[in-house]
Amino acid sequence: MRRTVLVVAIMLGAAASPALAADNGLYIGGSIGGSSLDIRDFDTDLGDLSFSDGDTAYKLFAGFRFLSFLAVEAGYVDFGDPSDTVGTIEGDSIKLDIGLTGWDAFALGILPIGPVDIFVKVGVISWDADIHAALDELIDRDSDSGTDAAWGLGVALRLGSVAIRIEGEQFDVDGADDLYLFSVGATFTF
């Protein structure tokens, strides 16, 4: 009897292990969440001003998982249009709207624990910012761009070829003190 139970347990374990194994290969995904942008004490002709706001953000990406512990991915991210009132001149508010988008690329280190993956990512973002400043009826527009470092961490729950993932990312965008993206999304592995 013990021998039969042992054989059945081994067979069930062998049958379950492919279901728990990571799906390697090409994957696509998307996430939605919130961005947070902080610019503290930027110097202007009006003195030191600060900006702090966030918006709804999304990203679309594709990647390739080489091994159960290593992947690369690249994608497009839209941080939304954060806006904030940064000061006043003679009683009129100065409002800034910053539309921020970018293309990013990451290397991922993955720790697979059963059907759960814990991952860290390190990479770069090539970003573009459209800046709109408004003071009463006066509107000024500017733009900026650059390529800077990015990193993040997250967790994914694998359900076959589909994975649900939650992650936080920080982007070291020049001129910003903090730019974060917190998102929930899904991936599909081919």
Side-chain angles (χ1 to χ4, degrees):
M1 179 69 171
R2 286 185 184 168
R3 186 176 202 195
T4 305
V5 171
L6 181 60
V7 169
V8 170
I10 291 171
M11 289 175 56
L12 287 174
S17 64
L20 295 177
D23 255 357
N24 293 347
L26 180 66
Y27 62 91
I28 59 171
S31 296
I32 189 163
S35 65
S36 174
L37 174 62
D38 288 311
I39 306 170
R40 293 183 287 280
D41 302 326
F42 59 94
D43 189 27
T44 67
D45 294 338
L46 305 172
D48 289 338
L49 304 176
S50 63
F51 179 98
S52 181
D53 192 35
D55 200 6
T56 302
Y58 70 90
K59 64 181 186 168
L60 303 171
F61 54 92
F64 193 84
R65 188 168 180 163
F66 297 99
L67 304 166
S68 62
F69 60 88
L70 181 65
V72 294
E73 71 182 37
Y76 172 79
V77 61
D78 186 329
F79 295 96
D81 296 307
S83 63
D84 191 16
T85 301
V86 296
T88 59
I89 296 178
E90 297 178 7
D92 292 326
S93 297
I94 305 168
K95 183 176 180 188
L96 287 182
D97 295 316
I98 302 175
L100 193 58
T101 61
W103 293 92
D104 57 27
F106 291 100
L108 280 76
I110 305 163
L111 176 62
I113 304 171
V116 174
D117 290 336
I118 298 171
F119 60 90
V120 295
K121 54 199 292 188
V122 176
V124 297
I125 184 168
S126 178
W127 54 272
D128 291 305
D130 291 321
I131 305 157
H132 300 241
L135 172 65
D136 196 23
E137 297 297 317
L138 243 106
I139 296 177
D140 188 21
R141 300 178 195 282
D142 197 5
S143 63
D144 197 3
S145 61
T147 301
D148 292 299
W151 53 88
L153 57 97
V155 63
L157 173 64
R158 286 181 278 108
L159 307 166
S161 293
V162 175
I164 307 300
R165 75 193 231 178
I166 300 169
E167 62 186 304
E169 298 165 280
Q170 182 174 4
F171 302 87
D172 191 19
V173 171
D174 186 39
D177 291 296
D178 295 310
L179 176 59
Y180 297 103
L181 174 62
F182 300 98
S183 62
V184 176
T187 63
F188 178 78
T189 302
F190 293 94

